[in-house]
Amino acid sequence: MKRGIALLLAALLLLAAVPVLAEDYTLAEKFYQQAVKESAYRGTVTLSVSGAGSKAVDPALWNVLKSLAPRLSLSLEHSTTPYKDEGQATAALMLDGSASATLSYLYDQQLMAFGGTLLGGNNTYYSAPRDWDLTELAESALSGGNAWPPVWRMVLAIENAPAAWKTRAETRLSVYKTKLNLWLNGYAQFSTGMDGDTLYSQLACTIPAQALKAEIKQLMVDFYNDAELLSLLKEVVSAKEAAAYLQPSMMDALFSMLDGLQLSGDLEVVQRYDISASPLLIQLSVPFGGSGALSRMTVSCAYEEGGQNWHVAGTLNNGAAFDVSCLMADETIFTGTVYLTLPEAEDESFVVSDQAALKTVAFDYNLIWEPGEDTYTLSTDRFTRDIKGSLLIRPTEGDLPEQSLTLEAALSSGSAKRSATQLNGSLTWRDLESDASVSLILNSKTAAPFAYTVPSALTGAVRVDQLSAEALSAVVLSWVQRAQSVFASFVPGVAVQAVPIATVQPR
């Protein structure tokens, strides 16, 4: 009897031990480690088109998609070596089984490089330091290297900074938060009211444009005299951003830009709370000016019984407008509306004037995300995870049909740590009125590492970070023209309109 109990306990322990082998990491984490950090990955994306067409797609484009679908695919691969920060990723556009265009990304601890027929040829490579900001390619080429780096990148760098840095910076940044709150209090108007059966208290601030400019200037004076904060920020932003925004000598130039900025109205802030001090509504309405596209934008978040209801609305300087809402019931269900007024194209070149007529596009949407869970099957010794997402669009204005976008993906792998991991799935757009559809189907799995090239082994690679603005503009233009010629080769007889790239005058 005791022996039988012992055998039963041993069997139970054995059954419990098998799935424990993968409890240290999820399937998604295992796939990432194998495909990106430790081993290799190979995948193929194929295109499938069905149906006679859709009101949402130009008939000529639909015919092109149908003719290309059986012939076109995308091959993806990546290989690396465990414990080495180096590798190569390649994407190849396949037509009738042959590579029509390739693009490769090579990297090691110091350098990254790009190459392939899409950029010029199999032996043509462009390299740069690993930490070089790739967005400088577009910025330098389009503006001649004279554009100020966008502020939003600095905001993202601060938001994504390590926790240890945020802890160090919090003390300095809290000083400015306190100053801003004191300043806002000078414009605050307190009131109470009822929203249905809910009693609320509200703080509303309306700040004139000139007062806003004056406060920004005062904060800038304090900021540029705060050597400790400037030093902290230089740790997380790029050298180009630091040179543009974190040098005290730049303050006068920024003052001049601020003086010349014509804002489209006042800054408005509304904060509403219930009797227990829980937030009911937070709303910010921001004026814009200058030559930018936006005239004004309002962002609000209402805390409702069904979840957080976000709302973003704005107007553009060409007369267009947008109004988007999103009710976040939880982390898996999102519902809302989209309302757009857009300028109509005046000709086949899609040229839009400042006085173009406006058209309206409006729809309700429902997004459901099902992340799934890792499940173990003893009979096959495999872990699996099914991931699903669906977006339903129901037009309320305009002539668009009801549409859906569906994602289905499946991860699977054996319980052993070295077992290959498969990732298969599909992304399908469907016209629910005509039943026309376009699908991208992925079949992929991790694999044993295979041979690759690293940037340090290349000879003759062009260092894009060392090019002048004029040379960089010419390089990017050559890439665009090459991509256009590749697309034209897929679709004979279809004219491809050149994408304009700003020419750069020598300085």
Side-chain angles (χ1 to χ4, degrees):
M1 184 67 174
K2 290 181 179 179
R3 184 179 179 184
I5 293 174
L7 289 173
L8 178 60
L9 289 174
L12 290 173
L13 288 172
L14 179 62
L15 292 177
V18 174
V20 164
L21 292 175
E23 282 187 357
D24 292 338
Y25 47 84
T26 66
L27 269 175
E29 291 168 342
K30 182 179 182 179
F31 175 79
Y32 175 80
Q33 282 297 119
Q34 291 180 338
V36 179
K37 293 293 186 180
E38 298 177 356
S39 192
Y41 168 81
R42 295 184 188 274
T44 302
V45 179
T46 55
L47 177 67
S48 174
V49 178
S50 66
S54 166
K55 290 189 296 184
V57 182
D58 181 82
L61 176 59
W62 186 262
N63 289 333
V64 168
L65 289 174
K66 288 205 72 171
S67 65
L68 284 177
R71 307 169 56 204
L72 195 66
S73 64
L74 181 66
S75 174
L76 305 169
E77 63 179 31
H78 172 259
S79 184
T80 186
T81 301
Y83 312 112
K84 285 189 177 182
D85 188 14
E86 64 178 35
Q88 177 178 341
T90 300
L93 195 60
M94 313 292 289
L95 188 64
D96 296 327
S98 300
S100 293
T102 61
L103 180 64
S104 293
Y105 170 66
L106 291 61
Y107 63 95
D108 55 30
Q109 292 184 355
Q110 285 77 38
L111 295 172
M112 60 181 172
F114 295 90
T117 59
L118 199 60
L119 301 184
N122 286 321
N123 297 315
T124 301
Y125 289 94
Y126 301 86
S127 65
R130 184 78 177 271
D131 59 355
W132 194 61
D133 189 349
L134 288 174
T135 58
E136 292 192 19
L137 283 173
E139 291 173 13
S140 297
L142 294 174
S143 65
N146 296 318
W148 287 61
V151 177
W152 62 264
R153 281 214 311 254
M154 291 182 62
V155 175
L156 286 178
I158 294 170
E159 181 65 26
N160 296 321
W165 182 90
K166 289 183 178 180
T167 300
R168 292 162 51 211
E170 179 61 29
T171 301
R172 298 306 311 161
L173 293 174
S174 63
V175 173
Y176 295 87
K177 292 178 182 177
T178 300
K179 290 180 179 180
L180 274 174
N181 285 332
L182 290 173
W183 175 68
L184 284 171
N185 286 340
Y187 293 90
Q189 298 292 325
F190 178 80
S191 63
T192 60
M194 295 290 294
D195 183 3
D197 297 330
T198 303
L199 174 66
Y200 67 80
S201 59
Q202 176 174 293
L203 282 174
C205 303
T206 300
I207 303 165
Q210 292 305 314
L212 177 60
K213 288 184 179 182
E215 177 62 14
I216 293 175
K217 285 185 176 181
Q218 182 57 58
L219 288 173
M220 287 171 61
V221 171
D222 298 339
F223 173 74
Y224 283 116
N225 282 291
D226 191 338
E228 182 180 350
L229 180 57
L230 291 174
S231 178
L232 280 169
L233 291 173
K234 288 177 183 177
E235 295 179 14
V236 296
V237 304
S238 70
K240 186 175 182 180
E241 291 159 356
Y245 297 111
L246 302 183
Q247 302 297 330
S249 59
M250 300 303 296
M251 185 170 65
D252 290 340
L254 292 171
F255 272 19
S256 297
M257 292 172 61
L258 189 60
D259 287 335
L261 181 62
Q262 299 297 317
L263 297 178
S264 57
D266 300 333
L267 174 69
E268 298 175 0
V269 182
V270 175
Q271 300 178 71
R272 187 177 295 175
Y273 301 88
D274 63 17
I275 57 175
S276 63
S278 297
L280 295 174
L281 173 68
I282 297 176
Q283 179 174 295
L284 176 66
S285 183
V286 184
F288 290 85
S291 58
L294 275 173
S295 173
R296 190 172 191 86
M297 184 170 69
T298 299
V299 180
S300 67
C301 179
Y303 297 81
E304 303 173 357
E305 185 176 349
Q308 296 182 15
N309 196 348
W310 287 87
H311 189 202
V312 180
T315 56
L316 280 66
N317 287 319
N318 63 358
F322 58 91
D323 192 314
V324 180
S325 69
C326 179
L327 176 61
M328 301 170 60
D330 54 33
E331 295 182 353
T332 61
I333 301 176
F334 309 86
T335 58
T337 61
V338 174
Y339 188 91
L340 307 172
T341 55
L342 305 171
E344 296 235 31
E346 296 179 342
D347 53 40
E348 294 182 355
S349 300
F350 298 99
V351 176
V352 177
S353 73
D354 292 337
Q355 304 299 322
L358 299 177
K359 63 178 180 180
T360 299
V361 176
F363 56 85
D364 299 331
Y365 69 88
N366 184 63
L367 172 63
I368 299 176
W369 178 250
E370 301 176 53
E373 295 182 352
D374 290 357
T375 303
Y376 179 73
T377 303
L378 179 62
S379 60
T380 58
D381 187 30
R382 292 192 71 79
F383 283 86
T384 58
R385 182 172 191 159
D386 293 328
I387 303 168
K388 297 180 180 180
S390 62
L391 173 65
L392 178 62
I393 296 175
R394 295 188 180 92
T396 55
E397 289 193 45
D399 57 356
L400 292 176
E402 189 170 335
Q403 306 164 54
S404 69
L405 188 66
T406 304
L407 171 69
E408 294 183 349
L411 279 163
S412 66
S413 181
S415 61
K417 186 174 182 179
R418 291 185 175 274
S419 295
T421 306
Q422 292 182 329
L423 173 60
N424 299 323
S426 64
L427 179 65
T428 301
W429 169 86
R430 186 177 301 277
D431 182 328
L432 297 179
E433 295 180 9
S434 69
D435 204 35
S437 68
V438 178
S439 296
L440 296 174
I441 299 99
L442 170 68
N443 288 282
S444 70
K445 65 185 299 184
T446 58
F450 49 86
Y452 56 83
T453 304
V454 293
S456 57
L458 299 173
T459 57
V462 178
R463 285 290 296 265
V464 293
D465 60 307
Q466 298 175 0
L467 294 178
S468 66
E470 293 85 354
L472 188 58
S473 177
V475 165
V476 175
L477 178 59
S478 72
W479 294 348
V480 172
Q481 291 173 337
R482 185 133 187 132
Q484 291 170 342
S485 66
V486 169
F487 177 77
S489 69
F490 290 156
V491 194
V494 176
V496 180
Q497 185 177 358
V499 176
I501 300 292
T503 55
V504 181
Q505 299 299 323
R507 289 174 292 180

mmCIF file of all heavy atoms in Angstrom, residues 104-142:
data_model
loop_
_atom_site.group_PDB
_atom_site.id
_atom_site.type_symbol
_atom_site.label_atom_id
_atom_site.label_comp_id
_atom_site.label_asym_id
_atom_site.label_seq_id
_atom_site.Cartn_x
_atom_site.Cartn_y
_atom_site.Cartn_z
ATOM 1 N N SER A 104 18.706 44.565 -45.642
ATOM 2 C CA SER A 104 19.364 43.913 -44.520
ATOM 3 C C SER A 104 19.783 44.932 -43.472
ATOM 4 O O SER A 104 20.173 46.064 -43.808
ATOM 5 C CB SER A 104 20.605 43.142 -44.993
ATOM 6 O OG SER A 104 20.238 42.058 -45.814
ATOM 7 N N TYR A 105 19.701 44.518 -42.215
ATOM 8 C CA TYR A 105 20.166 45.313 -41.087
ATOM 9 C C TYR A 105 21.229 44.502 -40.353
ATOM 10 O O TYR A 105 20.967 43.391 -39.893
ATOM 11 C CB TYR A 105 19.001 45.650 -40.153
ATOM 12 C CG TYR A 105 19.429 46.267 -38.843
ATOM 13 C CD1 TYR A 105 20.030 47.513 -38.794
ATOM 14 C CD2 TYR A 105 19.206 45.597 -37.633
ATOM 15 C CE1 TYR A 105 20.418 48.085 -37.587
ATOM 16 C CE2 TYR A 105 19.580 46.158 -36.418
ATOM 17 C CZ TYR A 105 20.185 47.400 -36.402
ATOM 18 O OH TYR A 105 20.577 47.963 -35.206
ATOM 19 N N LEU A 106 22.436 45.037 -40.269
ATOM 20 C CA LEU A 106 23.555 44.387 -39.615
ATOM 21 C C LEU A 106 23.916 45.190 -38.367
ATOM 22 O O LEU A 106 23.843 46.429 -38.381
ATOM 23 C CB LEU A 106 24.776 44.312 -40.534
ATOM 24 C CG LEU A 106 24.753 43.408 -41.772
ATOM 25 C CD1 LEU A 106 23.666 43.792 -42.767
ATOM 26 C CD2 LEU A 106 26.118 43.454 -42.462
ATOM 27 N N TYR A 107 24.352 44.518 -37.316
ATOM 28 C CA TYR A 107 24.705 45.255 -36.106
ATOM 29 C C TYR A 107 25.733 44.497 -35.284
ATOM 30 O O TYR A 107 25.820 43.270 -35.327
ATOM 31 C CB TYR A 107 23.458 45.511 -35.244
ATOM 32 C CG TYR A 107 22.793 44.266 -34.720
ATOM 33 C CD1 TYR A 107 23.078 43.756 -33.455
ATOM 34 C CD2 TYR A 107 21.874 43.562 -35.497
ATOM 35 C CE1 TYR A 107 22.469 42.603 -32.978
ATOM 36 C CE2 TYR A 107 21.260 42.404 -35.028
ATOM 37 C CZ TYR A 107 21.562 41.937 -33.769
ATOM 38 O OH TYR A 107 20.975 40.791 -33.300
ATOM 39 N N ASP A 108 26.574 45.261 -34.598
ATOM 40 C CA ASP A 108 27.446 44.724 -33.563
ATOM 41 C C ASP A 108 27.457 45.734 -32.425
ATOM 42 O O ASP A 108 26.604 46.640 -32.391
ATOM 43 C CB ASP A 108 28.847 44.413 -34.093
ATOM 44 C CG ASP A 108 29.518 45.603 -34.760
ATOM 45 O OD1 ASP A 108 29.222 46.752 -34.367
ATOM 46 O OD2 ASP A 108 30.339 45.391 -35.672
ATOM 47 N N GLN A 109 28.376 45.626 -31.502
ATOM 48 C CA GLN A 109 28.338 46.486 -30.325
ATOM 49 C C GLN A 109 28.596 47.948 -30.645
ATOM 50 O O GLN A 109 28.117 48.829 -29.928
ATOM 51 C CB GLN A 109 29.355 45.993 -29.288
ATOM 52 C CG GLN A 109 28.983 44.657 -28.685
ATOM 53 C CD GLN A 109 29.931 44.227 -27.592
ATOM 54 O OE1 GLN A 109 30.936 44.887 -27.334
ATOM 55 N NE2 GLN A 109 29.623 43.125 -26.933
ATOM 56 N N GLN A 110 29.324 48.230 -31.732
ATOM 57 C CA GLN A 110 29.657 49.610 -32.057
ATOM 58 C C GLN A 110 28.852 50.188 -33.222
ATOM 59 O O GLN A 110 28.465 51.346 -33.209
ATOM 60 C CB GLN A 110 31.157 49.732 -32.412
ATOM 61 C CG GLN A 110 32.097 49.654 -31.237
ATOM 62 C CD GLN A 110 32.284 48.234 -30.742
ATOM 63 O OE1 GLN A 110 32.348 47.306 -31.555
ATOM 64 N NE2 GLN A 110 32.367 48.051 -29.431
ATOM 65 N N LEU A 111 28.588 49.368 -34.225
ATOM 66 C CA LEU A 111 28.026 49.888 -35.473
ATOM 67 C C LEU A 111 26.734 49.181 -35.863
ATOM 68 O O LEU A 111 26.471 48.052 -35.441
ATOM 69 C CB LEU A 111 29.036 49.732 -36.608
ATOM 70 C CG LEU A 111 30.337 50.522 -36.544
ATOM 71 C CD1 LEU A 111 31.260 50.075 -37.666
ATOM 72 C CD2 LEU A 111 30.072 52.018 -36.636
ATOM 73 N N MET A 112 25.965 49.857 -36.706
ATOM 74 C CA MET A 112 24.847 49.241 -37.413
ATOM 75 C C MET A 112 25.006 49.592 -38.886
ATOM 76 O O MET A 112 25.641 50.598 -39.227
ATOM 77 C CB MET A 112 23.502 49.758 -36.885
ATOM 78 C CG MET A 112 23.309 51.241 -37.021
ATOM 79 S SD MET A 112 21.694 51.756 -36.352
ATOM 80 C CE MET A 112 21.859 53.561 -36.421
ATOM 81 N N ALA A 113 24.449 48.764 -39.750
ATOM 82 C CA ALA A 113 24.568 49.020 -41.185
ATOM 83 C C ALA A 113 23.321 48.520 -41.899
ATOM 84 O O ALA A 113 22.652 47.594 -41.439
ATOM 85 C CB ALA A 113 25.810 48.328 -41.742
ATOM 86 N N PHE A 114 23.028 49.170 -43.033
ATOM 87 C CA PHE A 114 21.896 48.782 -43.880
ATOM 88 C C PHE A 114 22.415 48.496 -45.274
ATOM 89 O O PHE A 114 23.333 49.167 -45.760
ATOM 90 C CB PHE A 114 20.840 49.893 -43.938
ATOM 91 C CG PHE A 114 20.181 50.170 -42.623
ATOM 92 C CD1 PHE A 114 20.707 51.118 -41.754
ATOM 93 C CD2 PHE A 114 19.045 49.478 -42.248
ATOM 94 C CE1 PHE A 114 20.105 51.372 -40.539
ATOM 95 C CE2 PHE A 114 18.441 49.719 -41.026
ATOM 96 C CZ PHE A 114 18.967 50.671 -40.174
ATOM 97 N N GLY A 115 21.833 47.505 -45.913
ATOM 98 C CA GLY A 115 22.232 47.194 -47.277
ATOM 99 C C GLY A 115 21.150 46.429 -47.994
ATOM 100 O O GLY A 115 20.053 46.228 -47.471
ATOM 101 N N GLY A 116 21.455 45.993 -49.225
ATOM 102 C CA GLY A 116 20.487 45.247 -50.010
ATOM 103 C C GLY A 116 20.162 45.927 -51.313
ATOM 104 O O GLY A 116 20.501 47.100 -51.547
ATOM 105 N N THR A 117 19.465 45.202 -52.180
ATOM 106 C CA THR A 117 19.148 45.748 -53.506
ATOM 107 C C THR A 117 18.194 46.928 -53.427
ATOM 108 O O THR A 117 18.172 47.764 -54.326
ATOM 109 C CB THR A 117 18.536 44.651 -54.386
ATOM 110 O OG1 THR A 117 17.341 44.157 -53.750
ATOM 111 C CG2 THR A 117 19.494 43.499 -54.567
ATOM 112 N N LEU A 118 17.401 47.015 -52.358
ATOM 113 C CA LEU A 118 16.468 48.130 -52.233
ATOM 114 C C LEU A 118 17.197 49.449 -52.009
ATOM 115 O O LEU A 118 16.651 50.520 -52.265
ATOM 116 C CB LEU A 118 15.491 47.878 -51.077
ATOM 117 C CG LEU A 118 14.202 48.696 -51.064
ATOM 118 C CD1 LEU A 118 13.387 48.442 -52.322
ATOM 119 C CD2 LEU A 118 13.369 48.368 -49.839
ATOM 120 N N LEU A 119 18.450 49.382 -51.538
ATOM 121 C CA LEU A 119 19.227 50.591 -51.272
ATOM 122 C C LEU A 119 20.333 50.819 -52.285
ATOM 123 O O LEU A 119 21.079 51.789 -52.163
ATOM 124 C CB LEU A 119 19.840 50.532 -49.862
ATOM 125 C CG LEU A 119 18.870 50.398 -48.703
ATOM 126 C CD1 LEU A 119 19.619 50.442 -47.382
ATOM 127 C CD2 LEU A 119 17.816 51.504 -48.740
ATOM 128 N N GLY A 120 20.460 49.923 -53.261
ATOM 129 C CA GLY A 120 21.480 50.169 -54.267
ATOM 130 C C GLY A 120 22.114 48.930 -54.854
ATOM 131 O O GLY A 120 22.517 48.929 -56.008
ATOM 132 N N GLY A 121 22.273 47.867 -54.084
ATOM 133 C CA GLY A 121 22.904 46.661 -54.612
ATOM 134 C C GLY A 121 23.304 45.732 -53.489
ATOM 135 O O GLY A 121 23.342 46.127 -52.325
ATOM 136 N N ASN A 122 23.651 44.496 -53.853
ATOM 137 C CA ASN A 122 23.997 43.507 -52.839
ATOM 138 C C ASN A 122 25.241 43.882 -52.054
ATOM 139 O O ASN A 122 25.422 43.458 -50.914
ATOM 140 C CB ASN A 122 24.200 42.137 -53.493
ATOM 141 C CG ASN A 122 22.875 41.498 -53.904
ATOM 142 O OD1 ASN A 122 21.882 41.605 -53.187
ATOM 143 N ND2 ASN A 122 22.858 40.853 -55.060
ATOM 144 N N ASN A 123 26.144 44.640 -52.642
ATOM 145 C CA ASN A 123 27.390 44.998 -51.979
ATOM 146 C C ASN A 123 27.443 46.462 -51.580
ATOM 147 O O ASN A 123 28.521 47.003 -51.326
ATOM 148 C CB ASN A 123 28.575 44.663 -52.892
ATOM 149 C CG ASN A 123 28.673 43.177 -53.189
ATOM 150 O OD1 ASN A 123 28.541 42.357 -52.281
ATOM 151 N ND2 ASN A 123 28.884 42.832 -54.448
ATOM 152 N N THR A 124 26.279 47.120 -51.530
ATOM 153 C CA THR A 124 26.215 48.514 -51.121
ATOM 154 C C THR A 124 25.679 48.592 -49.701
ATOM 155 O O THR A 124 24.587 48.096 -49.418
ATOM 156 C CB THR A 124 25.296 49.323 -52.056
ATOM 157 O OG1 THR A 124 25.803 49.221 -53.398
ATOM 158 C CG2 THR A 124 25.256 50.785 -51.642
ATOM 159 N N TYR A 125 26.454 49.204 -48.804
ATOM 160 C CA TYR A 125 26.055 49.293 -47.400
ATOM 161 C C TYR A 125 26.227 50.717 -46.890
ATOM 162 O O TYR A 125 27.119 51.455 -47.331
ATOM 163 C CB TYR A 125 26.891 48.344 -46.534
ATOM 164 C CG TYR A 125 26.572 46.890 -46.753
ATOM 165 C CD1 TYR A 125 27.307 46.136 -47.664
ATOM 166 C CD2 TYR A 125 25.537 46.267 -46.047
ATOM 167 C CE1 TYR A 125 27.014 44.794 -47.870
ATOM 168 C CE2 TYR A 125 25.241 44.926 -46.245
ATOM 169 C CZ TYR A 125 25.984 44.198 -47.149
ATOM 170 O OH TYR A 125 25.689 42.877 -47.347
ATOM 171 N N TYR A 126 25.364 51.077 -45.959
ATOM 172 C CA TYR A 126 25.420 52.376 -45.277
ATOM 173 C C TYR A 126 25.475 52.095 -43.781
ATOM 174 O O TYR A 126 24.653 51.352 -43.256
ATOM 175 C CB TYR A 126 24.195 53.217 -45.622
ATOM 176 C CG TYR A 126 24.044 53.485 -47.102
ATOM 177 C CD1 TYR A 126 23.389 52.573 -47.932
ATOM 178 C CD2 TYR A 126 24.561 54.642 -47.663
ATOM 179 C CE1 TYR A 126 23.258 52.808 -49.285
ATOM 180 C CE2 TYR A 126 24.434 54.889 -49.026
ATOM 181 C CZ TYR A 126 23.786 53.969 -49.833
ATOM 182 O OH TYR A 126 23.665 54.193 -51.184
ATOM 183 N N SER A 127 26.453 52.690 -43.096
ATOM 184 C CA SER A 127 26.644 52.385 -41.683
ATOM 185 C C SER A 127 26.653 53.653 -40.839
ATOM 186 O O SER A 127 26.784 54.773 -41.351
ATOM 187 C CB SER A 127 27.953 51.619 -41.473
ATOM 188 O OG SER A 127 29.071 52.427 -41.808
ATOM 189 N N ALA A 128 26.493 53.456 -39.525
ATOM 190 C CA ALA A 128 26.477 54.552 -38.555
ATOM 191 C C ALA A 128 26.716 53.955 -37.173
ATOM 192 O O ALA A 128 26.565 52.739 -36.989
ATOM 193 C CB ALA A 128 25.139 55.300 -38.593
ATOM 194 N N PRO A 129 27.085 54.771 -36.203
ATOM 195 C CA PRO A 129 27.207 54.253 -34.835
ATOM 196 C C PRO A 129 25.903 53.642 -34.362
ATOM 197 O O PRO A 129 24.817 54.069 -34.762
ATOM 198 C CB PRO A 129 27.579 55.496 -34.020
ATOM 199 C CG PRO A 129 28.219 56.409 -34.998
ATOM 200 C CD PRO A 129 27.508 56.177 -36.295
ATOM 201 N N ARG A 130 25.999 52.653 -33.514
ATOM 202 C CA ARG A 130 24.818 51.915 -33.050
ATOM 203 C C ARG A 130 23.795 52.834 -32.376
ATOM 204 O O ARG A 130 22.585 52.614 -32.486
ATOM 205 C CB ARG A 130 25.278 50.822 -32.079
ATOM 206 C CG ARG A 130 24.176 49.909 -31.582
ATOM 207 C CD ARG A 130 23.784 48.863 -32.589
ATOM 208 N NE ARG A 130 22.778 47.976 -32.032
ATOM 209 C CZ ARG A 130 23.046 46.869 -31.354
ATOM 210 N NH1 ARG A 130 24.309 46.496 -31.172
ATOM 211 N NH2 ARG A 130 22.087 46.114 -30.882
ATOM 212 N N ASP A 131 24.282 53.877 -31.673
ATOM 213 C CA ASP A 131 23.358 54.753 -30.953
ATOM 214 C C ASP A 131 22.939 55.971 -31.766
ATOM 215 O O ASP A 131 22.332 56.899 -31.234
ATOM 216 C CB ASP A 131 23.985 55.213 -29.626
ATOM 217 C CG ASP A 131 25.303 55.973 -29.833
ATOM 218 O OD1 ASP A 131 25.769 56.054 -30.988
ATOM 219 O OD2 ASP A 131 25.858 56.482 -28.830
ATOM 220 N N TRP A 132 23.232 55.979 -33.066
ATOM 221 C CA TRP A 132 22.857 57.120 -33.898
ATOM 222 C C TRP A 132 21.355 57.134 -34.107
ATOM 223 O O TRP A 132 20.720 56.087 -34.313
ATOM 224 C CB TRP A 132 23.569 57.037 -35.253
ATOM 225 C CG TRP A 132 23.524 58.310 -36.044
ATOM 226 C CD1 TRP A 132 24.027 59.513 -35.691
ATOM 227 C CD2 TRP A 132 22.946 58.479 -37.349
ATOM 228 N NE1 TRP A 132 23.805 60.434 -36.690
ATOM 229 C CE2 TRP A 132 23.146 59.825 -37.715
ATOM 230 C CE3 TRP A 132 22.288 57.632 -38.237
ATOM 231 C CZ2 TRP A 132 22.715 60.343 -38.932
ATOM 232 C CZ3 TRP A 132 21.862 58.144 -39.440
ATOM 233 C CH2 TRP A 132 22.071 59.486 -39.783
ATOM 234 N N ASP A 133 20.757 58.323 -34.056
ATOM 235 C CA ASP A 133 19.306 58.459 -34.187
ATOM 236 C C ASP A 133 18.916 58.349 -35.659
ATOM 237 O O ASP A 133 19.220 59.232 -36.464
ATOM 238 C CB ASP A 133 18.872 59.817 -33.609
ATOM 239 C CG ASP A 133 17.363 59.935 -33.501
ATOM 240 O OD1 ASP A 133 16.654 59.069 -34.054
ATOM 241 O OD2 ASP A 133 16.888 60.886 -32.870
ATOM 242 N N LEU A 134 18.218 57.274 -36.015
ATOM 243 C CA LEU A 134 17.867 57.032 -37.414
ATOM 244 C C LEU A 134 16.915 58.073 -37.985
ATOM 245 O O LEU A 134 16.873 58.281 -39.194
ATOM 246 C CB LEU A 134 17.253 55.642 -37.564
ATOM 247 C CG LEU A 134 18.228 54.467 -37.420
ATOM 248 C CD1 LEU A 134 17.472 53.151 -37.453
ATOM 249 C CD2 LEU A 134 19.272 54.504 -38.519
ATOM 250 N N THR A 135 16.123 58.726 -37.118
ATOM 251 C CA THR A 135 15.188 59.725 -37.650
ATOM 252 C C THR A 135 15.927 60.916 -38.254
ATOM 253 O O THR A 135 15.337 61.696 -39.000
ATOM 254 C CB THR A 135 14.241 60.224 -36.545
ATOM 255 O OG1 THR A 135 15.008 60.783 -35.469
ATOM 256 C CG2 THR A 135 13.396 59.083 -36.013
ATOM 257 N N GLU A 136 17.220 61.037 -37.946
ATOM 258 C CA GLU A 136 17.984 62.122 -38.559
ATOM 259 C C GLU A 136 18.112 61.931 -40.061
ATOM 260 O O GLU A 136 18.356 62.884 -40.794
ATOM 261 C CB GLU A 136 19.362 62.218 -37.914
ATOM 262 C CG GLU A 136 19.333 62.678 -36.460
ATOM 263 C CD GLU A 136 20.720 63.031 -35.945
ATOM 264 O OE1 GLU A 136 21.616 63.268 -36.778
ATOM 265 O OE2 GLU A 136 20.895 63.062 -34.722
ATOM 266 N N LEU A 137 17.969 60.685 -40.545
ATOM 267 C CA LEU A 137 17.997 60.460 -41.986
ATOM 268 C C LEU A 137 16.927 61.289 -42.691
ATOM 269 O O LEU A 137 17.206 62.036 -43.625
ATOM 270 C CB LEU A 137 17.778 58.977 -42.288
ATOM 271 C CG LEU A 137 18.957 58.029 -42.071
ATOM 272 C CD1 LEU A 137 18.505 56.600 -42.259
ATOM 273 C CD2 LEU A 137 20.087 58.365 -43.027
ATOM 274 N N ALA A 138 15.676 61.138 -42.203
ATOM 275 C CA ALA A 138 14.572 61.869 -42.830
ATOM 276 C C ALA A 138 14.662 63.358 -42.551
ATOM 277 O O ALA A 138 14.491 64.187 -43.448
ATOM 278 C CB ALA A 138 13.242 61.317 -42.342
ATOM 279 N N GLU A 139 14.973 63.716 -41.309
ATOM 280 C CA GLU A 139 15.005 65.131 -40.945
ATOM 281 C C GLU A 139 16.070 65.889 -41.720
ATOM 282 O O GLU A 139 15.831 66.965 -42.264
ATOM 283 C CB GLU A 139 15.257 65.284 -39.444
ATOM 284 C CG GLU A 139 14.106 64.816 -38.585
ATOM 285 C CD GLU A 139 14.471 64.819 -37.116
ATOM 286 O OE1 GLU A 139 15.507 65.410 -36.757
ATOM 287 O OE2 GLU A 139 13.724 64.231 -36.327
ATOM 288 N N SER A 140 17.263 65.335 -41.789
ATOM 289 C CA SER A 140 18.353 66.015 -42.478
ATOM 290 C C SER A 140 18.099 66.101 -43.975
ATOM 291 O O SER A 140 18.384 67.107 -44.614
ATOM 292 C CB SER A 140 19.676 65.293 -42.215
ATOM 293 O OG SER A 140 20.002 65.322 -40.854
ATOM 294 N N ALA A 141 17.538 65.017 -44.536
ATOM 295 C CA ALA A 141 17.301 65.008 -45.969
ATOM 296 C C ALA A 141 16.188 65.952 -46.381
ATOM 297 O O ALA A 141 16.276 66.636 -47.399
ATOM 298 C CB ALA A 141 16.975 63.597 -46.425
ATOM 299 N N LEU A 142 15.122 66.004 -45.585
ATOM 300 C CA LEU A 142 13.964 66.814 -45.946
ATOM 301 C C LEU A 142 14.169 68.285 -45.637
ATOM 302 O O LEU A 142 13.569 69.150 -46.272
ATOM 303 C CB LEU A 142 12.718 66.305 -45.224
ATOM 304 C CG LEU A 142 12.259 64.902 -45.640
ATOM 305 C CD1 LEU A 142 11.121 64.438 -44.756
ATOM 306 C CD2 LEU A 142 11.829 64.899 -47.091
#
